[in-house]
Each structure stands twice: as structure tokens, then as C-alpha cells.
Amino acid sequence: SSFYCNGQSNQQSERKPHDSVEVKDIKVNGLPFFCSIAQVERKLGKPDSIVHFIEEMSCYYPDTIYYYYKGYQYIKIKDKDSLFFLSVNFNIPGSNLEIKGFKFDQNTKIEEVKKSFPLADTEKGTSNEIEFWFFFKGNPQAFIYIEFKKGKIMQIEDIEDCS
């Protein structure tokens, strides 16, 4: 992730264990993490909605435009015809995301993720709610968050910690 928020906390040192990831290691439904609006529309069609959000205290950008496509959420890069991935909802059939060659979809099992990414497993929560963290190399405040509930993958989010 190439964007930074205000704040100086080093979340990576506070959360152990952890794994790291580079933007090039992430494919969103076969598309790169950063891509043009046209690329996303060729793959997913026109957006379901576009929401212009203005929040003075936002850690990303005070003036943010969100694009929603069939379970995927992107943020428009200001003054460019480009988007970057923000989240995917696995309740939508066909949703998938690949990290380091491992494909996540609605059938992904916790055990598979633990085996493939043992350093990303935080072991926080109950056996029904498990979180995995991948920190972006070079930006310890940005990470990929994967949430499971009741053994089922729910979502993957790109998060920027602003604390």
C-alpha cells in the first residue's frame, strides 16, 4: 500500500506473530491491487454504487470516493482514473482474492490458511472468530485483515491504522 495516515504507532511490533506482503503479491479477482477503473469494469461490470464521502477527520483522505462492485470495495485515487482495493465480502458467490499465490474464496477453510500462513495467525478470539494479519513491507501501519466467523471466511480488508 502506498498511502500513509497520520499517527506514529508501530502496530507491527505490537502484534505478533505476523506475516508481510507486498502489493504485487495481491490479486483481487485476478486484478492487481492498484488498477484502472476500466480494468475493474471489464472484469466486474459497472459499479453497483459510487459514494462520495467527505470527513475532515478521515485518516485516508478527507475527500474519498468509494466504488462498490458485486461485493468488492475500492477507493478512487484522487485526480487519477485508478482504484485501489479496500475489501471483499465473501457472502457474494464468485468473490476471490489471492495473496502470495493462495486463493481465498467462500470455500476457504481456516485450517488451510493456518497451514499456508502460520505467521499471519494471531490466535486472537475464539475458535469461531479468527483473524489473520499481513503487514505491508515498508509501511507497518498498513495491513491486510482476514476475518473468519463460525469457521467461514467473511471478509478481507486492506486497513490503514491511524492510531
Side-chain angles (χ1 to χ4, degrees):
S1 179
S2 66
F3 55 96
Y4 293 85
C5 285
N6 302 331
Q8 300 300 317
S9 79
N10 185 341
Q11 295 296 318
Q12 184 169 351
S13 65
E14 296 169 17
R15 293 188 184 111
K16 298 233 187 246
H18 65 270
D19 200 343
S20 62
V21 66
E22 294 183 56
V23 170
K24 69 177 182 60
D25 296 332
I26 301 170
K27 298 285 184 221
V28 183
N29 201 12
L31 297 171
F33 186 87
F34 291 100
C35 55
S36 71
I37 293 171
Q39 283 177 295
V40 176
E41 288 184 359
R42 276 194 299 275
K43 186 81 168 187
L44 300 173
K46 294 288 183 193
D48 300 327
S49 63
I50 299 172
V51 178
H52 190 175
F53 186 72
I54 298 174
E55 181 183 346
E56 291 180 23
M57 300 303 292
S58 172
C59 79
Y60 292 110
Y61 305 105
D63 184 3
T64 305
I65 300 174
Y66 295 93
Y67 279 63
Y68 297 90
Y69 296 90
K70 299 175 181 69
Y72 296 90
Q73 183 180 9
Y74 288 87
I75 291 180
K76 184 176 186 300
I77 298 172
K78 192 169 180 113
D79 301 326
K80 297 191 185 228
D81 186 30
S82 299
L83 302 171
F84 68 84
F85 167 76
L86 188 62
S87 69
V88 58
N89 175 346
F90 288 102
N91 289 323
I92 309 292
S95 298
N96 68 76
L97 184 131
E98 192 175 299
I99 298 176
K100 295 182 177 182
F102 183 93
K103 187 175 180 179
F104 294 85
D105 61 26
Q106 64 187 22
N107 299 312
T108 300
K109 306 284 184 254
I110 290 174
E111 295 76 25
E112 297 169 331
V113 180
K114 283 184 175 186
K115 182 178 177 184
S116 296
F117 303 107
L119 291 177
D121 181 4
T122 64
E123 294 296 337
K124 290 184 179 176
T126 67
S127 60
N128 289 333
E129 294 184 22
I130 304 238
E131 300 172 352
F132 295 88
W133 303 86
F134 294 87
F135 289 89
F136 282 95
K137 289 181 180 175
N139 183 359
Q141 291 169 277
F143 54 92
I144 296 289
Y145 166 78
I146 305 171
E147 177 187 25
F148 283 84
K149 285 191 179 175
K150 297 182 180 173
K152 184 175 179 184
I153 192 166
M154 301 303 291
Q155 67 176 352
I156 295 181
E157 271 187 275
D158 168 24
I159 297 177
E160 188 81 18
D161 185 0
C162 301
S163 58

